[in-house]
Amino acid sequence: MSSHSVAEAKNGLPGLIDRALDGEEVLITRHGRVVEIGPALPKGVPPADRRAGFDRLRARREARPSIDVDSNDMLRALADEQRW
């Protein structure tokens, strides 16, 4: 397992993705919060089974709540919050 700050991940994302695809647990941290990156489908999944994996990912994405905010409004709110 390896743990990296957002800045480290930004500078070395291709390498971190390769490590995650090779089976290493890769964590990215920001202000005490942690996300894990890894393959969506296990290595060696036969082509016939990939459709099920992609369908699972699509269902997961569609189940997320919509925030109903456009990017300009979100950036303005973040800027106000950070007092830029």
Side-chain angles (χ1 to χ4, degrees), residues 1 4 7 9 18 26 32 34 37 45 47 50 52 56 59 70 72-73 76 78 80:
M1 175 182 73
H4 308 272
D18 289 340
V26 178
V34 181
I37 62 171
V45 172
R50 289 183 190 156
R56 180 182 60 81
D70 72 22
N72 289 325
D73 291 339
R76 280 190 202 100
L78 288 171
D80 290 344

Side-chain angles (χ1 to χ4, degrees), residues 20-82:
L21 289 173
D22 287 339
E24 183 178 335
E25 183 178 355
V26 178
L27 305 177
I28 299 174
T29 62
R30 179 173 67 184
H31 305 296
R33 297 172 68 190
V34 181
V35 297
E36 180 180 1
I37 62 171
L41 301 171
K43 195 174 193 176
V45 172
D49 294 338
R50 289 183 190 156
R51 173 56 67 193
F54 290 125
D55 289 343
R56 180 182 60 81
L57 291 173
R58 184 177 294 110
R60 221 170 104 188
R61 181 187 69 221
E62 291 171 354
R64 291 183 192 144
S66 172
I67 59 172
D68 292 327
V69 176
D70 72 22
S71 58
N72 289 325
D73 291 339
M74 186 179 292
L75 288 172
R76 280 190 202 100
L78 288 171
D80 290 344
E81 185 179 303
Q82 295 295 321

